[in-house]
Amino acid sequence: MDLNKEMFYKDFVQREDEFLRAPFNPEIEFYSCIKAGDVERVRELCKDPLVDKPGLGKLSNDPLQNLKFHFVITTALVARYCIQGGMDLSAAYGLSDYFIQKADQCKRTEDISKLHPKMCIEYAKRMRDLRKNSVCSIQIAQCIDYIYDHLHARITVAELAEHVHLSESYLSRLFKKEVGTSISDYIRRQKLETAKNMLVYSDYRSAEIATILCFPSQSYFTEIFHKYTGMTPGEYRRSHFRESMEDSQTES
């Protein structure tokens, strides 16, 4: 059973095309992954060259200039999402200025396409590092990485303590001091954030998500999800479906 849960969780983390909900704008996932610091998923989403991106509008009759315009728009949106995620304004805009200037120097569309994933991955890496900004010790950084890699499993303080070679009591005190919350609360919140993404970007039912993320029961998952978001899992999914449809209608 644990192997199956790990498989399902990794399937979602990879977010293969067959698990994406067709009505949702894929742009939402793209920018959300950068904002979340999901470097590996961003790499996957950037495999297709920018020039081959579906639905790329015509902003100039010159193919090179057209792609430059789109690069600038994408970079500006990435910066905005990262600022919303906590990135410092000067850092976000400084990075966008750097990459936009690089794009302006490009002489071929191929060069723009190569620059695009570099820009996206750099922002994603910086967002990934943000979650460790308040962490001073390597042991807590290792705990956070372990938690993110094992959200499909039941994670205990004992496992984390063994992983970083500290006593449970000392690790608990250190984690609370550096992260500002208890280990159990941090794990719960990360599982719920992942559940939110699964509700929006996959077709998994609430019961399946509860099982994949190793919640004790569907009723417990629904209870704490409601406490955390103010909505049931079903209400959360429906509300984001409506938002996505409204965004699509506005863009069209």
Side-chain angles (χ1 to χ4, degrees):
M1 183 62 178
D2 288 340
L3 181 61
N4 286 336
K5 283 189 292 185
E6 180 176 0
M7 180 184 69
F8 287 134
Y9 174 72
K10 288 182 177 179
D11 278 345
F12 173 74
V13 170
Q14 293 171 359
R15 293 189 181 99
E16 298 294 343
D17 288 342
E18 62 265 29
F19 292 130
L20 295 180
R21 293 176 63 86
F24 290 104
N25 187 342
E27 293 292 308
I28 298 173
E29 185 201 12
F30 173 69
Y31 292 113
S32 295
C33 285
I34 295 175
K35 179 181 176 181
D38 190 344
V39 177
E40 292 308 311
R41 180 55 182 161
V42 172
R43 288 186 199 277
E44 186 71 23
L45 291 171
C46 287
K47 280 186 176 180
D48 293 330
L50 179 62
V51 69
D52 295 332
K53 183 180 176 183
L56 207 62
K58 186 175 181 181
L59 303 177
S60 172
N61 290 326
D62 183 326
L64 177 59
Q65 192 61 49
N66 186 60
L67 205 59
K68 284 184 178 182
F69 284 146
H70 281 287
F71 182 91
V72 170
I73 293 169
T74 301
T75 305
L77 285 171
V78 168
R80 183 187 303 175
Y81 266 75
C82 290
I83 289 168
Q84 291 174 352
M87 183 179 285
D88 181 73
L89 281 168
S90 60
Y93 288 135
L95 200 57
S96 69
D97 288 346
Y98 169 79
F99 279 107
I100 288 171
Q101 289 171 14
K102 282 283 189 183
D104 190 48
Q105 296 168 8
C106 291
K107 305 299 182 183
R108 304 178 305 164
T109 57
E110 292 87 347
D111 297 330
I112 300 283
S113 287
K114 289 179 181 178
L115 186 63
H116 177 254
K118 291 180 181 178
M119 178 272 293
C120 297
I121 291 167
E122 180 60 29
Y123 269 104
K125 285 180 177 178
R126 296 199 183 196
M127 292 305 295
R128 179 189 61 188
D129 292 341
L130 271 180
R131 74 176 188 240
K132 300 178 183 178
N133 271 357
S134 61
V135 173
C136 300
S137 65
I138 189 167
Q139 290 94 339
I140 301 304
Q142 289 173 341
C143 281
I144 289 173
D145 283 338
Y146 184 93
I147 289 168
Y148 273 78
D149 289 339
H150 294 82
L151 290 175
H152 60 278
R154 180 175 176 270
I155 308 167
T156 65
V157 177
E159 289 173 1
L160 290 172
E162 183 179 357
H163 180 67
V164 298
H165 309 293
L166 294 176
S167 71
E168 293 181 40
S169 58
Y170 180 71
L171 175 60
S172 296
R173 291 195 302 271
L174 186 63
F175 196 98
K176 175 76 173 183
K177 178 182 177 181
E178 295 191 15
V179 182
T181 187
S182 68
I183 293 174
S184 59
D185 187 57
Y186 185 86
I187 293 170
R188 186 181 305 113
R189 286 182 174 273
Q190 301 318 309
K191 284 178 179 281
L192 288 169
E193 284 297 323
T194 301
K196 285 163 63 177
N197 284 333
M198 294 180 81
L199 286 165
V200 174
Y201 298 117
S202 82
D203 287 321
Y204 287 121
R205 298 191 304 273
S206 178
E208 292 174 320
I209 293 173
T211 300
I212 291 168
L213 295 178
C214 214
F215 285 98
S217 66
Q218 182 184 357
S219 59
Y220 175 77
F221 168 60
T222 301
E223 178 185 344
I224 65 167
F225 190 93
H226 186 274
K227 183 178 179 180
Y228 183 67
T229 66
M231 291 182 279
T232 66
E235 290 169 343
Y236 186 86
R237 170 171 275 167
R238 288 191 294 273
S239 71
H240 282 72
F241 177 81
R242 286 197 300 272
E243 287 175 7
S244 180
M245 292 300 291
E246 289 169 0
D247 288 344
S248 297
Q249 290 170 0
T250 300
E251 290 171 3
S252 61

